[in-house]
Structure formats: C-alpha cells, structure tokens
Coordinates of all heavy atoms in Angstrom, one line a residue:
I3 N 43.7 115.0 80.8 CA 43.3 113.7 80.5 C 43.6 113.5 78.9 O 43.0 114.2 78.2 CB 42.1 113.2 81.0 CG1 41.9 113.5 82.5 CG2 41.7 111.8 80.6 CD1 40.5 113.3 83.0
S4 N 44.3 112.4 78.7 CA 44.4 112.0 77.3 C 43.7 110.8 76.9 O 43.6 109.9 77.7 CB 46.0 111.9 76.8 OG 46.5 110.9 77.5
S5 N 43.3 110.7 75.7 CA 42.8 109.4 75.2 C 43.7 108.4 74.9 O 44.9 108.8 74.8 CB 41.8 109.7 74.0 OG 42.6 110.1 72.9
K6 N 43.3 107.2 74.6 CA 44.3 106.2 74.3 C 44.9 106.5 72.9 O 46.2 106.1 72.7 CB 43.5 104.8 74.2 CG 43.1 104.3 75.6 CD 42.5 102.9 75.4 CE 42.0 102.5 76.7 NZ 41.4 101.2 76.8
N7 N 44.4 107.2 72.0 CA 44.9 107.5 70.7 C 45.8 108.6 70.7 O 46.6 108.9 69.7 CB 43.8 107.7 69.7 CG 43.0 106.5 69.4 OD1 43.4 105.3 69.6 ND2 41.6 106.7 69.1
E8 N 45.8 109.5 71.8 CA 46.5 110.8 71.8 C 47.8 110.4 72.7 O 47.7 110.0 73.7 CB 45.8 111.8 72.4 CG 46.4 113.2 72.4 CD 45.6 114.3 73.0 OE1 44.3 114.1 73.0 OE2 46.1 115.2 73.5
P9 N 48.9 110.7 72.1 CA 50.2 110.6 73.0 C 50.2 111.6 74.0 O 49.6 112.7 73.9 CB 51.3 110.9 72.0 CG 50.8 111.6 70.8 CD 49.3 111.3 70.8
I10 N 50.8 111.1 75.2 CA 50.8 112.0 76.3 C 51.7 113.3 76.1 O 51.3 114.4 76.5 CB 51.5 111.3 77.6 CG1 50.5 110.1 78.0 CG2 51.8 112.2 78.8 CD1 51.2 109.2 79.0
V11 N 52.7 113.1 75.4 CA 53.5 114.3 74.9 C 53.4 114.4 73.4 O 53.7 113.5 72.7 CB 55.0 114.1 75.3 CG1 55.8 115.3 74.8 CG2 55.2 113.9 76.8
K12 N 52.9 115.6 73.0 CA 52.8 115.7 71.6 C 54.2 115.9 70.8 O 55.1 116.3 71.5 CB 51.8 116.9 71.3 CG 50.4 116.7 71.8 CD 49.6 117.8 71.5 CE 48.2 117.5 72.0 NZ 47.3 118.7 71.8
K13 N 54.2 115.6 69.6 CA 55.4 115.6 68.9 C 56.0 117.1 68.8 O 57.2 117.3 69.0 CB 55.3 115.1 67.4 CG 55.2 113.7 67.3 CD 55.2 113.2 65.9 CE 55.1 111.6 66.0 NZ 55.4 111.1 64.6
E14 N 55.1 118.0 68.8 CA 55.7 119.5 68.7 C 56.3 119.8 70.1 O 57.4 120.5 70.2 CB 54.5 120.5 68.6 CG 54.9 121.9 68.4 CD 53.8 122.8 68.1 OE1 52.7 122.4 67.8 OE2 54.1 124.0 68.5
Q15 N 55.8 119.4 71.2 CA 56.4 119.5 72.5 C 57.8 118.7 72.6 O 58.7 119.4 73.2 CB 55.3 119.0 73.6 CG 54.0 119.9 73.7 CD 53.0 119.3 74.6 OE1 52.9 118.0 74.6 NE2 52.4 120.1 75.4
L16 N 57.7 117.6 72.1 CA 58.9 116.8 72.1 C 60.1 117.5 71.3 O 61.2 117.6 71.7 CB 58.7 115.5 71.7 CG 59.7 114.3 71.9 CD1 60.0 114.3 73.4 CD2 59.3 113.0 71.5
I17 N 59.7 118.0 70.1 CA 60.7 118.8 69.3 C 61.3 119.9 70.1 O 62.5 120.2 70.2 CB 60.0 119.2 68.0 CG1 59.7 118.0 67.1 CG2 61.0 120.2 67.3 CD1 58.8 118.3 65.9
N18 N 60.4 120.7 70.8 CA 60.8 121.9 71.4 C 61.6 121.5 72.7 O 62.6 122.2 73.0 CB 59.5 122.7 71.9 CG 58.8 123.5 70.8 OD1 59.6 123.9 69.8 ND2 57.6 123.6 70.8
L19 N 61.3 120.4 73.2 CA 62.1 119.9 74.4 C 63.5 119.7 74.1 O 64.5 120.1 74.6 CB 61.5 118.7 75.0 CG 62.2 118.0 76.2 CD1 62.4 119.1 77.4 CD2 61.6 116.7 76.4
Y20 N 63.6 118.9 72.9 CA 65.0 118.6 72.4 C 65.7 119.8 71.9 O 67.0 120.0 72.1 CB 64.8 117.5 71.2 CG 64.7 116.1 71.8 CD1 63.6 115.3 71.1 CD2 65.3 115.6 72.8 CE1 63.4 114.0 71.6 CE2 65.1 114.3 73.2 CZ 64.2 113.5 72.6 OH 63.9 112.3 73.1
L21 N 65.1 120.7 71.4 CA 65.7 122.0 70.9 C 66.2 122.8 72.2 O 67.3 123.2 72.1 CB 64.7 122.9 70.1 CG 64.3 122.5 68.6 CD1 63.4 123.2 68.0 CD2 65.7 122.5 67.8
N22 N 65.4 122.9 73.2 CA 65.8 123.5 74.3 C 67.0 122.9 75.1 O 67.9 123.4 75.6 CB 64.6 123.7 75.3 CG 63.6 124.7 74.8 OD1 63.9 125.7 74.2 ND2 62.4 124.5 75.2
L23 N 66.9 121.5 75.1 CA 68.0 120.7 75.6 C 69.3 121.0 74.8 O 70.4 121.1 75.4 CB 67.7 119.2 75.7 CG 66.7 119.0 76.9 CD1 66.2 117.5 76.7 CD2 67.3 119.1 78.2
G24 N 69.1 121.0 73.5 CA 70.2 121.3 72.6 C 70.8 122.7 72.9 O 72.1 122.9 72.9
D25 N 70.0 123.6 73.0 CA 70.4 125.0 73.3 C 71.2 125.1 74.6 O 72.2 125.8 74.7 CB 69.2 126.0 73.3 CG 68.6 126.3 72.0 OD1 69.4 126.2 70.9 OD2 67.5 126.7 71.9
L26 N 70.7 124.4 75.6 CA 71.3 124.4 76.9 C 72.7 123.8 76.8 O 73.7 124.3 77.4 CB 70.4 123.7 78.0 CG 71.0 123.8 79.4 CD1 71.4 125.1 79.9 CD2 70.1 122.9 80.2
S27 N 72.7 122.6 76.2 CA 74.1 122.0 75.9 C 75.1 122.8 75.1 O 76.3 122.8 75.5 CB 73.7 120.6 75.3 OG 72.9 119.8 76.1
L28 N 74.6 123.5 74.2 CA 75.4 124.4 73.4 C 76.0 125.5 74.2 O 77.2 125.8 74.1 CB 74.5 125.1 72.2 CG 75.2 125.6 71.1 CD1 76.2 124.6 70.4 CD2 74.4 126.2 70.1
V29 N 75.1 126.2 75.1 CA 75.7 127.2 76.1 C 76.7 126.6 76.9 O 77.7 127.3 77.2 CB 74.5 127.7 76.8 CG1 75.0 128.7 78.0 CG2 73.6 128.6 75.9
L30 N 76.5 125.4 77.4 CA 77.5 124.8 78.3 C 78.7 124.2 77.7 O 79.6 123.7 78.4 CB 76.8 123.7 79.1 CG 75.6 124.1 80.1 CD1 74.9 122.9 80.7 CD2 76.1 125.1 81.2
G31 N 78.8 124.2 76.3 CA 80.0 123.7 75.6 C 79.9 122.2 75.4 O 80.9 121.7 75.0
A32 N 78.8 121.5 75.7 CA 78.6 120.2 75.6 C 78.1 119.9 74.2 O 77.0 119.6 73.9 CB 77.6 119.5 76.5
W33 N 79.0 120.1 73.1 CA 78.7 120.1 71.7 C 78.1 118.9 71.3 O 77.2 118.7 70.4 CB 79.8 120.6 70.9 CG 80.2 121.9 71.2 CD1 79.3 123.0 71.5 CD2 81.4 122.6 71.3 NE1 79.9 124.1 71.7 CE2 81.3 124.0 71.6 CE3 82.8 122.0 71.1 CZ2 82.4 124.8 71.7 CZ3 83.8 122.9 71.3 CH2 83.7 124.3 71.5
S34 N 78.7 117.6 71.8 CA 78.2 116.4 71.4 C 76.8 116.1 71.8 O 76.0 115.6 71.0 CB 79.2 115.3 71.9 OG 80.4 115.2 71.3
D35 N 76.6 116.5 73.0 CA 75.1 116.4 73.5 C 74.2 117.2 72.8 O 73.2 116.8 72.5 CB 75.1 116.7 75.0 CG 75.8 115.8 76.0 OD1 75.9 114.6 75.5 OD2 76.2 116.2 77.1
A36 N 74.6 118.5 72.5 CA 73.8 119.4 71.8 C 73.5 118.8 70.3 O 72.3 118.8 69.9 CB 74.5 120.8 71.5
K37 N 74.5 118.2 69.7 CA 74.3 117.6 68.3 C 73.3 116.5 68.5 O 72.3 116.4 67.6 CB 75.7 117.1 67.8 CG 75.5 116.4 66.5 CD 76.9 116.1 65.9 CE 76.6 115.4 64.6 NZ 77.9 114.7 64.1
N38 N 73.4 115.7 69.5 CA 72.4 114.6 69.6 C 70.9 115.1 69.8 O 70.1 114.5 69.2 CB 72.9 113.6 70.8 CG 74.1 112.9 70.5 OD1 74.4 112.5 69.3 ND2 74.8 112.5 71.6
Y39 N 70.9 116.1 70.6 CA 69.5 116.6 70.9 C 68.9 117.4 69.5 O 67.8 117.1 69.2 CB 69.5 117.8 71.9 CG 69.7 117.1 73.4 CD1 70.7 117.6 74.2 CD2 68.8 116.1 73.8 CE1 70.9 117.0 75.5 CE2 69.1 115.6 75.0 CZ 70.0 116.0 75.9 OH 70.2 115.5 77.2
F40 N 69.8 118.0 68.8 CA 69.3 118.7 67.6 C 69.0 117.6 66.6 O 68.0 117.8 65.8 CB 70.3 119.7 67.1 CG 70.5 121.0 68.1 CD1 71.7 121.5 68.2 CD2 69.3 121.4 68.8 CE1 71.9 122.6 69.0 CE2 69.6 122.6 69.5 CZ 70.8 123.1 69.6
E41 N 69.7 116.6 66.6 CA 69.4 115.6 65.5 C 68.1 114.8 65.9 O 67.4 114.4 65.1 CB 70.6 114.5 65.5 CG 71.9 115.0 64.7 CD 73.0 114.0 64.8 OE1 73.1 113.2 65.7 OE2 73.9 114.3 63.9
K42 N 67.9 114.6 67.2 CA 66.6 114.1 67.6 C 65.4 115.0 67.2 O 64.4 114.5 66.7 CB 66.5 113.9 69.1 CG 67.4 112.7 69.5 CD 67.4 112.4 71.0 CE 68.3 111.3 71.4 NZ 68.3 111.0 72.9
S43 N 65.6 116.2 67.4 CA 64.6 117.2 67.0 C 64.3 117.2 65.6 O 63.2 117.3 65.0 CB 64.8 118.7 67.5 OG 65.9 119.2 66.9
L44 N 65.4 117.1 64.8 CA 65.3 117.0 63.3 C 64.6 115.8 62.9 O 63.7 115.8 62.0 CB 66.7 117.1 62.7 CG 66.8 117.0 61.2 CD1 66.0 118.1 60.5 CD2 68.2 117.0 60.7
K45 N 64.9 114.7 63.4 CA 64.2 113.3 63.0 C 62.7 113.3 63.4 O 61.9 113.1 62.5 CB 64.9 112.2 63.9 CG 64.2 110.9 63.6 CD 64.9 109.8 64.3 CE 64.3 108.4 63.9 NZ 64.6 107.3 64.8
I46 N 62.4 114.0 64.5 CA 60.9 114.0 64.8 C 60.2 115.0 63.9 O 59.1 114.8 63.4 CB 60.7 114.4 66.4 CG1 61.2 113.2 67.2 CG2 59.3 114.6 66.6 CD1 61.4 113.6 68.7
S47 N 61.0 116.1 63.6 CA 60.4 117.1 62.7 C 60.2 116.6 61.4 O 59.1 116.9 60.6 CB 61.3 118.4 62.6 OG 61.6 118.9 63.8
Q48 N 61.0 115.7 60.9 CA 61.0 115.1 59.6 C 59.7 114.1 59.6 O 59.0 114.1 58.6 CB 62.2 114.4 59.1 CG 63.3 115.3 58.8 CD 64.7 114.6 58.6 OE1 64.9 113.6 59.4 NE2 65.5 115.2 57.8
E49 N 59.6 113.4 60.7 CA 58.5 112.3 60.8 C 57.1 113.1 60.8 O 56.2 112.5 60.2 CB 58.7 111.6 62.0 CG 59.9 110.6 62.0 CD 60.3 109.9 63.2 OE1 59.5 110.2 64.3 OE2 61.1 109.1 63.3
S50 N 57.1 114.2 61.4 CA 55.8 114.9 61.6 C 55.4 115.9 60.4 O 54.4 116.5 60.4 CB 55.8 115.7 62.9 OG 56.8 116.7 63.1
G51 N 56.5 116.1 59.6 CA 56.3 117.0 58.5 C 56.3 118.5 58.8 O 55.8 119.4 58.2
D52 N 57.0 118.8 60.0 CA 57.1 120.1 60.5 C 58.2 120.9 59.8 O 59.4 120.9 60.3 CB 57.1 120.1 62.0 CG 57.0 121.6 62.6 OD1 57.4 122.6 61.9 OD2 56.6 121.6 63.8
D53 N 58.0 121.5 58.7 CA 59.1 122.3 57.9 C 59.8 123.3 58.8 O 61.1 123.4 58.7 CB 58.6 122.8 56.7 CG 58.2 121.7 55.7 OD1 58.6 120.6 55.9 OD2 57.4 122.0 54.8
L54 N 59.1 124.1 59.5 CA 59.7 125.1 60.3 C 60.7 124.6 61.3 O 61.8 125.1 61.5 CB 58.6 126.0 61.0 CG 59.0 127.3 61.5 CD1 59.6 128.2 60.4 CD2 57.8 128.0 62.1
K55 N 60.3 123.5 62.0 CA 61.3 123.0 63.0 C 62.4 122.2 62.4 O 63.5 122.0 62.9 CB 60.5 122.1 64.0 CG 59.5 122.7 64.8 CD 60.2 123.7 65.7 CE 59.1 124.4 66.6 NZ 59.7 125.3 67.5
K56 N 62.1 121.6 61.1 CA 63.3 121.1 60.4 C 64.3 122.1 60.1 O 65.5 122.0 60.3 CB 62.8 120.6 59.1 CG 62.1 119.2 59.1 CD 61.9 118.8 57.6 CE 60.4 118.4 57.4 NZ 60.2 117.9 56.1
V57 N 64.0 123.4 59.7 CA 64.9 124.4 59.4 C 65.6 124.8 60.7 O 66.8 125.0 60.7 CB 64.1 125.6 58.7 CG1 65.0 126.8 58.9 CG2 63.7 125.3 57.4
E58 N 64.9 124.9 61.7 CA 65.5 125.3 63.0 C 66.5 124.3 63.5 O 67.5 124.7 63.9 CB 64.3 125.5 64.1 CG 64.9 126.1 65.4 CD 63.8 126.5 66.4 OE1 62.6 126.3 66.1 OE2 64.1 126.8 67.5
S59 N 66.2 123.1 63.4 CA 67.0 122.0 63.8 C 68.2 121.9 63.1 O 69.4 121.8 63.6 CB 66.4 120.7 63.7 OG 65.2 120.6 64.6
R60 N 68.2 122.1 61.7 CA 69.3 122.1 60.8 C 70.3 123.3 61.0 O 71.4 123.2 61.1 CB 68.9 122.1 59.5 CG 68.4 120.8 59.0 CD 67.9 120.7 57.5 NE 67.2 119.4 57.3 CZ 67.0 118.9 56.1 NH1 67.3 119.6 55.0 NH2 66.4 117.8 55.9
S61 N 69.6 124.5 61.2 CA 70.4 125.6 61.6 C 71.2 125.5 62.9 O 72.3 125.9 62.9 CB 69.4 126.8 61.7 OG 70.0 128.0 62.0
K62 N 70.6 124.9 63.9 CA 71.3 124.7 65.1 C 72.5 123.7 64.9 O 73.5 123.8 65.6 CB 70.3 124.3 66.1 CG 69.4 125.4 66.6 CD 68.5 125.2 67.7 CE 67.5 126.3 68.0 NZ 68.2 127.3 68.8
L63 N 72.3 122.7 64.1 CA 73.4 121.8 63.7 C 74.5 122.5 63.1 O 75.7 122.2 63.4 CB 72.9 120.8 62.9 CG 72.0 119.6 63.6 CD1 71.3 118.7 62.5 CD2 72.8 118.8 64.7
G64 N 74.2 123.6 62.4 CA 75.2 124.4 61.7 C 75.9 125.3 62.9 O 77.1 125.6 62.8
Q65 N 75.2 125.7 63.8 CA 75.7 126.6 64.8 C 76.7 125.8 65.7 O 77.7 126.3 66.1 CB 74.6 127.1 65.8 CG 73.7 128.1 65.2 CD 72.6 128.5 66.1 OE1 72.7 128.4 67.3 NE2 71.5 128.9 65.6
I66 N 76.6 124.6 65.8 CA 77.5 123.7 66.5 C 78.8 123.8 65.8 O 79.9 123.9 66.5 CB 77.0 122.3 66.7 CG1 75.7 122.2 67.6 CG2 78.0 121.3 67.2 CD1 75.1 120.8 67.7
E67 N 78.8 123.6 64.6 CA 80.0 123.6 63.7 C 80.8 124.9 63.9 O 81.9 125.0 63.8 CB 79.8 123.1 62.3 CG 79.2 121.7 62.1 CD 79.9 120.6 63.0 OE1 81.1 120.8 63.2 OE2 79.2 119.7 63.3
I68 N 79.9 126.0 63.9 CA 80.6 127.4 64.1 C 81.3 127.4 65.5 O 82.4 127.9 65.5 CB 79.5 128.4 64.0 CG1 79.0 128.5 62.5 CG2 80.0 129.7 64.4 CD1 77.7 129.4 62.3
K69 N 80.6 126.8 66.5 CA 81.2 126.9 67.8 C 82.6 126.1 67.8 O 83.5 126.4 68.4 CB 80.3 126.4 68.9 CG 79.0 127.2 69.1 CD 79.4 128.4 70.0 CE 78.1 129.1 70.4 NZ 78.4 130.4 71.1
R70 N 82.5 125.0 67.0 CA 83.7 124.2 67.0 C 84.7 124.6 66.1 O 85.9 124.1 65.9 CB 83.3 122.8 66.5 CG 82.5 122.0 67.5 CD 82.1 120.6 67.1 NE 81.7 119.7 68.1 CZ 81.2 118.4 68.0 NH1 81.0 118.0 66.7 NH2 80.8 117.7 69.0
K71 N 84.5 125.7 65.3 CA 85.4 126.4 64.3 C 85.6 125.4 63.2 O 86.7 125.4 62.5 CB 86.6 126.9 65.0 CG 86.3 128.0 66.0 CD 87.5 128.5 66.6 CE 87.1 129.6 67.6 NZ 88.2 130.3 68.2
R72 N 84.7 124.6 62.9 CA 84.7 123.7 61.7 C 84.0 124.4 60.6 O 82.9 124.1 60.2 CB 84.1 122.4 62.0 CG 84.9 121.6 63.1 CD 84.2 120.4 63.4 NE 84.8 119.5 64.3 CZ 84.3 118.2 64.8 NH1 83.1 117.8 64.3 NH2 84.9 117.6 65.6
W73 N 84.7 125.3 59.9 CA 84.0 126.2 59.0 C 83.4 125.5 57.8 O 82.3 125.9 57.4 CB 85.0 127.2 58.6 CG 85.7 128.0 59.7 CD1 87.0 128.0 60.1 CD2 85.0 128.7 60.8 NE1 87.2 128.7 61.2 CE2 86.0 129.1 61.7 CE3 83.7 129.0 61.1 CZ2 85.8 129.8 62.9 CZ3 83.4 129.8 62.2 CH2 84.5 130.1 63.1
S74 N 84.2 124.6 57.2 CA 83.6 123.9 56.1 C 82.2 123.1 56.4 O 81.4 123.2 55.6 CB 84.6 122.9 55.5 OG 85.7 123.6 55.0
L75 N 82.3 122.5 57.5 CA 81.0 121.8 58.0 C 79.9 122.7 58.2 O 78.7 122.5 57.9 CB 81.3 120.9 59.2 CG 82.2 119.6 58.9 CD1 82.4 119.0 60.3 CD2 81.3 118.7 58.0
A76 N 80.3 123.9 58.9 CA 79.4 124.9 59.1 C 78.7 125.5 57.9 O 77.5 125.6 57.9 CB 79.9 126.1 59.9
I77 N 79.5 125.8 57.0 CA 79.0 126.2 55.6 C 78.1 125.2 55.0 O 77.0 125.5 54.6 CB 80.1 126.6 54.7 CG1 80.8 127.9 55.2 CG2 79.7 126.8 53.3 CD1 82.2 128.2 54.5
D78 N 78.4 123.9 55.1 CA 77.7 122.9 54.5 C 76.4 122.7 55.2 O 75.3 122.7 54.5 CB 78.4 121.5 54.6 CG 79.6 121.4 53.6 OD1 79.7 122.2 52.7 OD2 80.4 120.5 53.9
K79 N 76.3 122.7 56.5 CA 75.0 122.7 57.2 C 74.1 123.9 56.9 O 72.9 123.7 56.7 CB 75.3 122.6 58.8 CG 76.0 121.3 59.2 CD 75.2 120.1 59.1 CE 75.9 118.9 59.7 NZ 75.1 117.6 59.4
L80 N 74.7 125.1 56.9 CA 74.0 126.2 56.7 C 73.4 126.4 55.3 O 72.3 126.9 55.0 CB 74.6 127.5 57.3 CG 74.9 127.5 58.7 CD1 75.7 128.6 59.2 CD2 73.5 127.4 59.5
E81 N 74.2 125.9 54.3 CA 73.7 125.8 53.0 C 72.6 124.9 52.9 O 71.7 125.2 52.1 CB 74.8 125.5 52.0 CG 75.8 126.6 51.7 CD 76.9 126.4 50.7 OE1 77.3 125.1 50.5 OE2 77.6 127.3 50.3
E82 N 72.6 123.8 53.6 CA 71.5 122.8 53.5 C 70.2 123.5 54.0 O 69.2 123.4 53.5 CB 71.6 121.6 54.5 CG 72.7 120.6 54.0 CD 72.8 119.6 55.0 OE1 72.1 119.4 55.9 OE2 73.8 118.9 54.9
V83 N 70.4 124.4 55.0 CA 69.1 125.2 55.6 C 68.8 126.1 54.6 O 67.5 126.2 54.3 CB 69.7 125.9 56.9 CG1 68.5 127.0 57.3 CG2 69.9 125.0 58.0
L84 N 69.6 126.8 53.8 CA 69.2 127.9 52.9 C 68.6 127.1 51.7 O 67.5 127.6 51.3 CB 70.5 128.5 52.4 CG 70.3 129.6 51.3 CD1 69.3 130.7 51.8 CD2 71.6 130.3 50.9
N85 N 69.1 126.0 51.2 CA 68.6 125.3 50.2 C 67.1 124.7 50.6 O 66.2 124.7 49.7 CB 69.4 124.2 49.7 CG 70.7 124.7 48.9 OD1 70.7 125.8 48.4 ND2 71.8 124.0 49.1
F86 N 67.0 124.3 51.7 CA 65.7 123.7 52.2 C 64.7 125.0 52.2 O 63.5 124.7 51.8 CB 65.9 123.1 53.5 CG 64.6 122.5 54.0 CD1 64.3 121.3 53.5 CD2 63.8 123.0 55.0 CE1 63.0 120.6 53.8 CE2 62.5 122.5 55.5 CZ 62.2 121.3 54.9
K87 N 65.1 126.1 52.7 CA 64.1 127.2 52.9 C 63.7 127.6 51.5 O 62.5 128.0 51.2 CB 64.8 128.4 53.5 CG 64.8 128.2 55.0 CD 65.4 129.6 55.6 CE 65.4 129.6 57.1 NZ 65.9 130.9 57.6
L88 N 64.6 127.5 50.5 CA 64.3 128.0 49.1 C 63.3 127.1 48.5 O 62.6 127.4 47.6 CB 65.7 128.2 48.2 CG 66.6 129.3 48.7 CD1 67.9 129.3 48.0 CD2 65.8 130.7 48.5
S89 N 63.3 125.8 48.9 CA 62.5 124.8 48.3 C 61.1 124.9 48.9 O 60.2 124.2 48.4 CB 63.1 123.4 48.5 OG 63.0 122.9 49.8
L90 N 60.9 125.6 50.0 CA 59.5 125.7 50.6 C 58.5 126.5 49.8 O 58.9 127.4 49.1 CB 59.6 126.2 51.9 CG 60.3 125.3 53.0 CD1 60.4 126.0 54.4 CD2 59.5 124.0 53.1

C-alpha cells in the first residue's frame, strides 16, 4: 500500500525498467527503441540525481553506436561517460 505522497513506481524502479527494456531492444537489434529507452532512463536519472544510473545509461547509449558501427559517435558517447566518471 502506498501513501498519496509516494509514487506507485519509484524512480529507481522506473530507471531499471527502462534500462532492461533498452537491453532487450539492443539484443533484438531494435536500436532506435533501445536508444529511446536508454534516453528515458538517463532523463529520470538526471532528475533524481542518481549518478550511477546516469553513467550506466550513457554507457549503454555508447553501446548502441558500437552496434551500429558508428565509431565516432561511439567514441563521443563513451568519452562523455569517462569524463562524467572522472568528475564524480
């Protein structure tokens, strides 16, 4: 039972749900869907201040570009992850 002030689905659960859906889409080769799910998880992570999930979401966005063989974009995305980790 949840109170009126507590959301039914917590943000952490929602982030994990989007990450899992993104992973599944990535395995199935549905890269656009995966990107959308990872972007949603990133947005919620940013709103909630969850640095670990921000890093994970950004890393997964880089993985999509690796799968697509878009090497420059993959490098850019993964450098963002590295720079973010270094700033923590």
Side-chain angles (χ1 to χ4, degrees):
I3 301 173
S4 65
S5 68
K6 290 181 180 180
N7 296 331
E8 183 180 336
I10 295 172
V11 178
K12 295 182 179 179
K13 286 188 178 188
E14 182 179 345
Q15 293 171 320
L16 195 54
I17 293 166
N18 287 328
L19 175 66
Y20 284 131
L21 287 171
N22 289 330
L23 287 168
D25 286 338
L26 180 59
S27 298
L28 196 58
V29 168
L30 296 173
W33 296 322
S34 294
D35 291 340
K37 181 180 179 184
N38 288 334
Y39 288 127
F40 295 144
E41 286 175 343
K42 287 179 182 183
S43 69
L44 178 60
K45 181 180 178 189
I46 297 167
S47 299
Q48 290 170 328
E49 290 170 355
S50 66
D52 189 334
D53 290 336
L54 199 55
K55 294 299 180 181
K56 281 188 236 182
V57 168
E58 186 175 354
S59 299
R60 289 178 185 197
S61 177
K62 289 181 181 286
L63 287 166
Q65 290 176 26
I66 292 170
E67 300 308 333
I68 290 170
K69 294 281 187 184
R70 289 180 165 173
K71 298 183 180 180
R72 296 180 179 177
W73 308 119
S74 294
L75 287 173
I77 290 168
D78 289 345
K79 294 289 183 189
L80 295 174
E81 283 180 342
E82 284 178 20
V83 172
L84 181 60
N85 290 332
F86 186 76
K87 280 186 176 181
L88 293 174
S89 71
L90 292 179

